[in-house]
């Protein structure tokens, strides 16, 4: 089965959704070919933390601080009920563009590690609250997967796959995608 999954590494629902789909596929012993596609929720974020997630939710969605806090707590509760650790209150909101570029690179050069790198980036962001825009953080993740540090560092310090990430995000918008997570099952290539 092939699953195309539109995600953002700053989206807790993408993390929860991926956990659920992967768990179901594992329980059913389904062999899955994963393809992750980017859909940045906060495309204007910088590579340094921009403040609390509560503040980001107030700004983006026009929520009161109380409602923003309640929604964040509710999301954490859903994750915990699914057996997924999540520290959403203390996430370090930064650009996810570099992480999306890395995933495109891994999916093309080290196909067998595609889903693993995605899960590790989510864990770094939502569990360990690391800055996923930081090259050292992403290199550390790929080191854990046995990839060559120099190869990954050289890639991340360039701008390869920036165009591909941008095109995939624009394609999703043209298809009418307004929110994520979104996935397609058994998509055939044309």
């Amino acid at each position: 089965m092939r699953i195309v999954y539109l995600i953002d590494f700053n989206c807790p629902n993408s993390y929860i959704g991926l956990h659920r789909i992967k768990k179901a596929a594992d329980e059913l012993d389904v062999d899955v070919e994963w393809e992750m596609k980017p859909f940045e929720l906060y495309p204007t974020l910088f590579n340094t933390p921009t403040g609390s997630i509560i503040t980001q939710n107030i700004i983006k969605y026009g929520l009161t601080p109380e409602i923003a806090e309640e929604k964040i707590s509710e999301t954490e509760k859903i994750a915990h009920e699914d057996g997924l650790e999540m520290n959403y209150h203390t996430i370090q909101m930064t650009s996810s563009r570099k992480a999306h570029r890395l995933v495109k690179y891994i999916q093309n050069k080290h196909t067998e590690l595609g889903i693993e790198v995605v899960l590790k980036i989510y864990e770094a962001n939502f569990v360990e609250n690391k800055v996923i825009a930081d090259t050292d953080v992403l290199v550390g993740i790929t080191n854990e997967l046995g990839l060559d540090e120099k190869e990954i560092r050289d890639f991340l310090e360039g701008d390869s796959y920036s165009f591909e990430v941008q095109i995939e995000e624009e394609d999703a918008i043209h298809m009418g995608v307004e929110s994520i997570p979104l996935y397609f099952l058994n998509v055939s290539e044309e």
Side-chain angles (χ1 to χ4, degrees):
M1 174 184 293
R2 183 164 179 258
I3 299 176
V4 177
Y5 195 56
L6 279 73
I7 62 168
D8 186 34
F9 292 109
N10 287 318
C11 176
N13 296 320
S14 291
Y15 185 31
I16 293 167
L18 179 58
H19 174 76
R20 288 176 175 177
I21 292 171
K22 186 168 181 338
K23 182 179 176 184
D26 290 347
E27 287 175 359
L28 295 171
D29 198 27
V30 175
D31 186 33
V32 176
E33 175 190 339
W34 296 94
E35 181 181 0
M36 301 300 165
K37 292 190 176 267
F39 194 86
E40 292 176 279
L41 293 178
Y42 303 92
T44 59
L45 287 179
F46 298 107
N47 291 333
T48 56
T50 59
S52 79
I53 186 61
I54 293 171
T55 302
Q56 288 297 322
N57 275 272
I58 290 168
I59 293 168
K60 184 168 182 162
Y61 302 111
L63 303 175
T64 65
E66 297 78 23
I67 292 175
E69 172 76 30
E70 184 179 306
K71 288 191 171 292
I72 291 163
S73 293
E74 183 178 311
T75 301
E76 283 183 339
K77 181 180 178 201
I78 291 167
H80 294 149
E81 287 173 353
D82 276 9
L84 187 63
E85 188 176 351
M86 180 178 287
N87 300 312
Y88 190 28
H89 276 88
T90 52
I91 189 175
Q92 303 253 7
M93 291 292 291
T94 59
S95 172
S96 59
R97 176 61 55 112
K98 193 179 286 188
H100 284 297
R101 287 182 44 241
L102 177 62
V103 168
K104 296 307 302 171
Y105 179 79
I106 298 296
Q107 286 181 154
N108 285 308
K109 301 291 183 184
H110 304 281
T111 309
E112 73 286 357
L113 297 175
I115 188 70
E116 297 306 319
V117 75
V118 169
L119 293 169
K120 293 250 181 223
I121 293 169
Y122 272 124
E123 184 178 306
N125 200 25
F126 282 106
V127 178
E128 300 166 5
N129 296 139
K130 293 182 177 177
V131 176
I132 61 166
D134 185 312
T135 297
D136 290 334
V137 169
L138 296 174
V139 167
I141 288 168
T142 58
N143 279 349
E144 290 178 28
L145 297 174
L147 296 177
D148 180 67
E149 181 173 334
K150 182 175 179 354
E151 171 194 356
I152 301 302
R153 190 171 296 282
D154 287 349
F155 164 76
L156 289 171
E157 289 175 356
D159 66 348
S160 295
Y161 290 97
S162 290
F163 182 71
E164 290 83 351
V165 167
Q166 182 70 34
I167 292 297
E168 287 186 359
E169 289 178 347
E170 289 175 10
D171 285 349
I173 291 167
H174 288 337
M175 286 181 359
V177 175
E178 294 180 0
S179 64
I180 55 171
L182 178 67
Y183 58 91
F184 302 94
L185 302 175
N186 288 332
V187 176
S188 63
E189 293 187 5
E190 299 179 48

